[in-house]
Structure formats: C-alpha cells, structure tokens
Amino acid sequence: MSSKLDQLRAITTVVADTGDIDAIRTFSPVDCTTNPTLVLKAVELPSHADTVAEALRWGRAQTGSREAVVKTVADRLAVAVGAELTSLVPGRVSTEVDADLSFDTQATIAKARQIIAAYAERGIGRERILIKIAATWEGIRAAEVLQKEGIDCNLTLIFSQAQAVACADAKAFLISPFVGRILDWYVKKEGKTFTPEEDPGVLSVRSIYEYFKAYDITTVVMAASFRSAGEVEALAGCDRLTVSPALLDALSHDQGHLERRLQPVKPAKLPARIVLDEKAFRWAQNEDAMATEKLAEGIRAFAADLRKLRTLVNGWL
C-alpha cells in the first residue's frame, strides 16, 4: 500500500509549511508557504548563505537611514527566499506582508504591490505568488483591492467563520484557517485532550469548508497550523493542506489506509447564509474570545519575528 502522504496527495493539494530547501526537495510539494518565522529560520540555514550574502551586498550599497536600509534588506531576503522556492515547486509561493501593517489597508496594498514588483524584477510573474495578509477587517479590504488588480491573496490567521466568509466576500483567492492554534486555546481553557474527531480546530475547518461548498464559493480552503498527523488525516480531502516537514515525514512513513474526510459536495441542508458588513464582522469577532485572542497573538508573534529578522540584518550589515 502507498504511504498516507501519497494517498493524501491523491485527494488534496499538499503545501510545504517551510522555507527549508532541503525539506522541499525531499517532499516535492505543489506549493509552499512562508511567514516571518519561517523566513527567519531559512536565512540562518547554510542552504541560503548565498541569498543572504547577495542581499547584504545590495544593502551596503544603498543610501538612506539605517532603519530604512535594514527594512529593505529584510524585504529583499523574504523575496529572495521566495524566489528560490519558486524554482523548487510547480505551483505558488506565499510571501507575507509585514505583520505590523495588519490594521492599515493602504499600507498593505502598497507593500503587496512592492512584493509583486520585486518578484517581477527577478523574472517571476504574479501568477506564481500569493500575497499573504492577516485576516483583519483592514487586511481583507486590502485583499479585495489587490484581487481586482490580478494579485492573488492568501488570507492567513483565520480562526472564525466570520473571517472566512468575509474573505470569500472579498473574492480572496485562498484562506488559511488555523487548526493547531485553535486546539491550543481549547486545551488550555478546558484542561483536557481532544481526539482528532473532537478537535475544535478540525471542526472549525470542516465547518468553513462545508459552508464554502454549500454556496459554490471558489475561494480555496487551505488548512494550516497542525499539531499532529491525526489532525492532517482528519481533514483529508480539504482543498489544500499546508504541513510542516516533520508531519510530512511522519505521513510518508505511515503505510495505513487514509480515509477521505471532506467531500466537495453540497450538503443536503444548506447552512444559514452569513451576511457581514464591518459592524457585523467586528461584533462576530468580539463575541468569539478564541478568535479574538488567537488573531491578536498571531499578529504579535509574526511582528516579533519580523523585528528579529530586522535585528539580525542590522547586525550583519
């Protein structure tokens, strides 16, 4: 029998949640996704030494304030890592807009255009890139503008149905609902363990997926942030799954049967239609303590790693 990873690939597009070139070569995913945390790890790997050296040479030739140069070099590194990854996967590479812009629609739009232009300078078209944006109200509005310009977006840090539906309404190309971080919150709150079938993160993604299929929503659902192979298996059949190398490795060595759990069909009974304006969106988020806390926590964590990357660059220059 083929491995569970091979069985998964037959029903779901598998994305590598890493910037590690060696891991991507090993597991041959269709797409790969990065964020400030992954870029920070990637630039410290020997495989990216030439990329770092080139960015630093470029940075030392720039004029302007030290702070501005550091920020542009950090941006250049993120795009350079993404460019390397485009040579290893046939599909898309996600590159994240600065987390500290998560509540600024116009700045997010401007940064996304800069990222696309930077890839274009390297000969990489926008059809190979997804702009990754935190799914705040402001980020969703930025994605709405970018999608109309032909810049496809990956709305990340999705913890609620309201976020998912608002992203779909904005015609986002893809959303990344998180699994493991939702589980973390409920484990801490309730002080108990959950099976994959009871896992609140798994149930959240299933609900989003079923709603999208019920209403023929074309936005891609890509579950992310897994804590175990069991969570991955519980979402087999989802449009896409972005999985860490450690879990990809575990699935590649498991020869058991993998059951498809999500089917792209309309349910017999349609769920209630969700209609959201800004007021309704913000109220729905406010009423969901988990989604509110995890979204804020996720933005803070990505912003902290972005600061670490910039500090690292400042020390190298």
Side-chain angles (χ1 to χ4, degrees):
M1 181 178 288
S2 59
S3 72
K4 284 187 176 178
L5 179 57
D6 288 337
Q7 294 173 65
L8 183 65
R9 284 176 169 148
I11 56 175
T12 293
T13 298
V14 176
V15 178
D17 195 9
T18 182
D20 185 338
I21 286 176
D22 291 335
I24 291 170
R25 286 181 176 141
T26 298
F27 297 108
S28 302
V30 174
D31 296 345
C32 56
T33 183
T34 67
N35 57 44
T37 306
L38 296 174
V39 171
L40 183 63
K41 292 177 181 177
V43 298
E44 294 183 297
L45 295 172
S47 56
H48 289 292
D50 290 343
T51 298
V52 172
E54 185 281 329
L56 294 178
R57 283 194 300 271
W58 180 87
R60 290 174 185 134
Q62 304 307 303
T63 59
S65 70
R66 179 81 173 188
E67 181 182 5
V69 171
V70 166
K71 286 183 177 180
T72 56
V73 171
D75 290 346
R76 189 174 182 86
L77 279 171
V79 171
V81 169
E84 288 190 60
L85 299 181
T86 63
S87 68
L88 299 175
V89 298
R92 306 272 195 139
V93 172
S94 289
T95 297
E96 191 143 346
V97 168
D98 300 348
D100 54 11
L101 303 179
S102 296
F103 302 101
D104 189 329
T105 297
Q106 293 307 315
T108 295
I109 293 169
K111 176 62 74 172
R113 290 169 178 161
Q114 289 173 15
I115 292 169
I116 291 298
Y119 275 110
E121 288 176 3
R122 296 171 181 268
I124 300 167
R126 64 181 60 190
E127 72 280 357
R128 298 295 314 282
I129 306 301
L130 291 177
I131 297 297
K132 205 170 180 184
I133 301 170
T136 59
W137 179 258
E138 294 81 3
I140 295 168
R141 299 281 66 78
E144 186 173 36
V145 173
L146 293 167
Q147 288 291 159
K148 291 176 181 177
E149 296 179 2
I151 297 174
D152 286 336
C153 298
N154 170 355
L155 274 295
T156 190
L157 295 174
I158 302 278
F159 298 101
S160 72
Q161 193 92 353
Q163 285 177 289
V165 172
C167 291
D169 290 345
K171 308 299 182 186
F173 177 83
L174 179 148
I175 62 168
S176 294
F178 280 38
V179 180
R181 296 193 196 189
I182 293 178
L183 173 65
D184 295 343
W185 192 89
Y186 280 98
V187 167
K188 182 178 179 180
K189 181 177 185 291
E190 299 185 11
K192 68 175 187 179
T193 58
F194 296 85
T195 68
E197 285 301 305
E198 301 167 330
D199 188 314
V202 169
L203 297 179
S204 175
V205 174
R206 286 182 179 175
S207 177
I208 290 167
Y209 179 89
E210 290 168 2
Y211 182 91
F212 279 27
K213 300 313 172 189
Y215 290 103
D216 298 318
I217 294 169
T218 59
T219 297
V220 175
V221 179
M222 182 175 76
S225 170
F226 290 102
R227 296 291 179 261
S228 68
E231 285 182 323
V232 177
E233 292 180 43
L235 291 172
C238 193
D239 298 334
R240 302 187 191 190
L241 299 174
T242 180
V243 185
S244 69
L247 294 181
L248 290 174
D249 184 62
L251 291 165
S252 73
H253 287 92
D254 189 337
Q255 301 297 313
H257 172 67
L258 179 72
E259 179 185 354
R260 179 166 194 154
R261 306 310 304 273
L262 280 70
Q263 298 285 349
V265 296
K266 286 191 176 186
K269 182 179 180 181
L270 294 181
R273 193 79 197 225
I274 300 171
V275 180
L276 295 169
D277 57 10
E278 181 177 356
K279 179 181 176 180
F281 173 86
R282 293 192 186 282
W283 182 252
Q285 283 293 104
N286 182 73
E287 290 298 280
D288 189 332
M290 177 276 298
T292 298
E293 292 173 22
K294 298 308 288 186
L295 174 59
E297 179 187 277
I299 291 171
R300 287 195 298 269
F302 284 158
D305 281 336
L306 179 60
R307 289 192 294 270
K308 289 178 185 176
L309 177 62
R310 289 171 176 169
T311 298
L312 196 62
V313 168
N314 187 50
W316 286 339
L317 283 173

